[in-house]
Amino acid sequence: FPDIGLQRNIWENYIILYNGWKMELRKNSYQSLTQINPWLEQITVNNLKNGWLEDRFIGLKGTVKKFNYNIRFAQNLYRHMPVLVNNFDTATILQQFNVLYDRRVNILNFHTELGFRANSNLQFNLAFDFNNYEEDRLARIYHQPRFNSRFNTKYTIADKVLLSLDIIYLDGVYALLPNGTDLQLKGTLDASIAATYIFSKRFSFFVNLNNLASMKYQRYY
């Protein structure tokens, strides 16, 4: 489908203006939806709808000495956006989810990336997104965070040992309760570290430690 983009250097590599427009078909299946939410109940083909996602964006990016940045504003039009809500069935022990579709969702997205490369072995990156959802028929877009951010740093030792630290924050999402009211879940901060030892071109070892703060949170209600 159409994918059009323009880019122009305003000031060498310090300021680069870019914009674009693209449209794509989002094919929904039971498998693709359970990758988003594994607690989705079994659904029939009649309850599956494909979606259309239209992305219009404009932004600035560039590199200044050891710093790089990317600031992007986008308008996303999502037709038949799948929204997963709780299925409160007292006959079942485990909670399951249904899928609803909003006819036309307007998503305004503000995205920022900041990077700093201290040297060839050490780099820092920070990124965050803010999304504003304008629903059509549904009261709210449930279980979708409005704000999320990620901090990452990588350090290389003698081209053999790769160390990384990731800190991810998600604000509290909204869930639909049985009485029709909304509940905002608590946000979460997730920190993890990873180490990789490159023994040879074909063999390496790695270890990951996730959720170092041992925080308990609900991604879905």
Side-chain angles (χ1 to χ4, degrees):
F1 297 100
D3 188 350
I4 302 172
L6 298 174
Q7 181 172 293
R8 180 178 178 82
N9 287 16
I10 304 299
W11 183 23
E12 297 181 352
N13 289 325
Y14 301 145
I15 302 177
I16 301 174
L17 175 67
Y18 67 95
N19 69 332
W21 174 75
K22 61 182 179 180
M23 183 185 299
E24 63 182 28
L25 173 67
R26 291 288 179 91
K27 295 185 66 177
N28 292 317
S29 65
Y30 182 71
Q31 180 181 10
S32 67
L33 293 176
T34 51
Q35 289 177 351
I36 301 173
N37 184 331
W39 297 281
L40 183 67
E41 68 175 3
Q42 186 66 48
I43 55 179
T44 63
V45 175
N46 294 332
N47 291 332
L48 288 173
K49 293 182 180 179
N50 293 329
W52 286 92
L53 180 60
E54 185 177 350
D55 186 13
R56 309 166 183 171
F57 59 89
I58 184 171
L60 294 172
K61 62 182 181 179
T63 302
V64 181
K65 295 184 179 180
K66 296 182 178 182
F67 294 89
N68 61 80
Y69 69 93
N70 183 11
I71 302 173
R72 181 179 184 269
F73 177 77
Q75 180 194 28
N76 297 326
L77 296 178
Y78 204 149
R79 294 172 177 84
H80 301 300
M81 178 178 179
V83 180
L84 304 178
V85 297
N86 293 79
N87 177 22
F88 295 97
D89 185 0
T90 56
T92 60
I93 299 176
L94 298 177
Q95 293 284 0
Q96 290 185 319
F97 287 76
N98 291 325
V99 57
L100 304 176
Y101 298 93
D102 204 342
R103 189 177 64 91
R104 186 178 185 275
V105 181
N106 184 29
I107 307 172
L108 300 180
N109 170 261
F110 179 72
H111 173 79
T112 299
E113 298 177 22
L114 301 174
F116 174 71
R117 180 178 290 273
N119 50 54
S120 60
N121 297 325
L122 179 62
Q123 61 180 346
F124 303 89
N125 296 283
L126 175 66
F128 61 86
D129 283 271
F130 176 78
N131 296 298
N132 182 64
Y133 299 93
E134 297 178 1
E135 307 84 1
D136 180 29
R137 295 180 178 177
L138 297 180
R140 192 185 296 274
I141 302 300
Y142 297 99
H143 297 287
Q144 292 292 336
R146 291 182 177 269
F147 178 80
N148 65 83
S149 63
R150 178 170 186 165
F151 171 80
N152 168 266
T153 180
K154 297 180 180 180
Y155 183 62
T156 305
I157 303 175
D159 294 330
K160 284 289 186 180
V161 180
L162 309 178
L163 305 176
S164 65
L165 167 67
D166 284 279
I167 301 176
I168 301 174
Y169 173 78
L170 296 175
D171 70 341
V173 299
Y174 283 89
L176 179 64
L177 298 182
N179 59 6
T181 61
D182 298 336
L183 172 67
Q184 185 176 17
L185 307 182
K186 293 182 179 180
T188 181
L189 184 69
D190 193 316
S192 62
I193 58 175
T196 301
Y197 176 72
I198 303 176
F199 184 78
S200 66
K201 292 182 179 180
R202 298 182 180 179
F203 195 68
S204 63
F205 303 90
F206 70 90
V207 59
N208 296 333
L209 298 176
N210 300 316
N211 195 12
L212 297 178
S214 188
M215 295 184 63
K216 296 183 178 180
Y217 64 93
Q218 298 183 80
R219 180 63 179 85
Y220 293 93
Y221 179 65

